[in-house]
Amino acid sequence: MADKDKLFAGAIPELYERLMVPLLFEPYAVDLAERAARLKPLDVLEIAAGTGVVTRALAPRLDVEAQLVATDLNQPMLDVAHTKLGDDERIIWQQADAMALPLDDESFDVVLCQFGVMFFPDRVEAYREARRVLKPGGRFLFNVWDRIEANEVAHAILEALKARFPENPPSFMRRVPHGYGDPEIIRADLEAAGFHDIILETLEKTNGPVSASDAAMAICQGTPVRSEIEERDASALAAVSQAVAEALAKRFGNGMIERRIRAHVVEAVR
């Protein structure tokens, strides 16, 4: 994975929060928060918290005595998350790399991660880190996108980008967010890291209603796809976003788009 695939900075965090979160992330954030809250944890670690969609969903469900450490590799994402949620004395915001967590062994009842494990350069090692900071019997909860063909808007955008750059199409969406959707590989990686009692559920939902232009801008400008486009033509970001929007409208119509999204939700025990 290239470093640019993990870079969420500049204009991306604000666009990500405004467009990507309602487009794709909110339904699964609520689901993951509910799963975590049912475990009644007092010490929670969130990895790859992004702009805080899971943090916001989980905080009201936690005990008043609980503590949540919300981390992300990219400080600009955490800055947006903190601003959106406001101050909560139970929440600690901390920039951290999931590959080398600056946290003590056996500190947390639950570690959770929403759509972040796909970005780990060595997933088994990152899972070992998550296991290291979990208390005995603690739970690791995360979700990961299924293959891109099972996620209709993302797949349509990928096809539109291929049409725009036929010789060298942007590949981030297939390589990274939708590049780790095989349940057997996920299970094997967790077992290699020492986890057991692994439960994997495939969960299909519908993306938040969005216009073709907002969906195109979300992916083309609010993710590292932006860097891929700019590498190919530094002046083409607006034009490519418009072309993708037109392709989405042609495929799904001119109204609000609500299509299938599908992900795997995973729970494993330390």
Side-chain angles (χ1 to χ4, degrees):
M1 182 185 299
D3 287 343
K4 62 183 174 58
D5 290 338
K6 299 179 285 184
L7 182 62
F8 287 74
I12 288 178
E14 292 288 351
L15 285 168
Y16 183 100
E17 171 61 28
R18 180 165 63 87
L19 299 175
M20 287 292 289
V21 166
L23 173 63
L24 296 175
F25 297 140
E26 281 180 340
Y28 289 104
V30 171
D31 172 78
L32 201 64
E34 289 175 345
R35 292 170 190 259
R38 284 198 293 269
L39 298 171
K40 300 188 182 303
L42 290 178
D43 295 291
V44 181
L45 169 65
E46 184 180 356
I47 298 171
T51 58
V53 60
V54 174
T55 323
R56 295 194 294 273
L58 179 58
R61 295 173 166 85
L62 289 177
D63 188 275
V64 293
E65 300 297 323
Q67 183 173 83
L68 168 61
V69 179
T71 70
D72 197 272
L73 182 64
N74 294 281
Q75 184 63 45
M77 297 288 273
L78 288 179
D79 292 342
V80 172
H82 190 183
T83 299
K84 289 289 293 183
L85 185 60
D87 291 329
D88 184 328
E89 63 182 13
R90 299 172 303 163
I91 300 175
I92 297 171
W93 304 96
Q94 185 172 351
Q95 189 278 334
D97 186 343
M99 302 298 299
L101 293 168
L103 301 164
D104 292 338
D105 294 357
E106 299 184 2
S107 299
F108 297 95
D109 304 304
V110 169
V111 173
L112 70 159
C113 181
Q114 160 125 310
F115 298 123
V117 302
M118 307 90 72
F119 293 86
F120 299 160
D122 183 334
R123 295 184 187 100
V124 173
E125 185 57 34
Y127 294 163
R128 289 193 183 109
E129 270 293 274
R131 186 177 184 276
R132 177 183 67 79
V133 301
L134 276 169
K135 298 174 185 177
R139 307 298 178 92
F140 183 27
L141 298 173
F142 66 89
N143 49 26
V144 57
W145 293 115
D146 199 354
R147 60 194 182 90
I148 198 166
E149 289 80 6
N151 289 270
E152 295 182 69
V153 174
H155 188 229
I157 290 173
L158 183 73
E159 293 299 305
L161 289 169
K162 282 183 180 178
R164 181 76 183 197
F165 299 101
E167 299 300 319
N168 184 23
S171 61
F172 169 79
M173 292 301 293
R174 182 182 293 279
R175 284 187 298 106
V176 184
H178 297 278
Y180 189 56
D182 186 328
E184 293 308 311
I185 292 176
I186 296 168
R187 186 180 297 276
D189 286 348
L190 285 165
E191 289 173 347
F195 283 98
H196 60 91
D197 291 345
I198 299 162
I199 300 171
L200 189 147
E201 177 185 353
T202 300
L203 193 61
E204 191 166 293
K205 291 184 176 290
T206 302
N207 67 264
V210 65
S211 67
S213 60
D214 279 354
M217 183 174 289
I219 301 296
C220 294
Q221 299 189 31
T223 76
V225 171
R226 182 188 190 110
S227 298
E228 292 188 311
I229 294 169
E230 291 174 335
E231 284 176 356
R232 287 155 177 79
D233 186 343
S235 65
L237 185 61
V240 171
S241 300
Q242 180 61 33
V244 170
E246 291 170 0
L248 291 176
K250 183 176 181 180
R251 180 162 181 173
F252 299 123
N254 291 316
M256 300 297 277
I257 300 171
E258 296 182 78
R259 308 297 295 187
R260 178 187 65 187
I261 52 178
R262 194 163 74 197
H264 307 304
V265 185
V266 184
E267 179 176 340
V269 178
R270 184 195 190 278

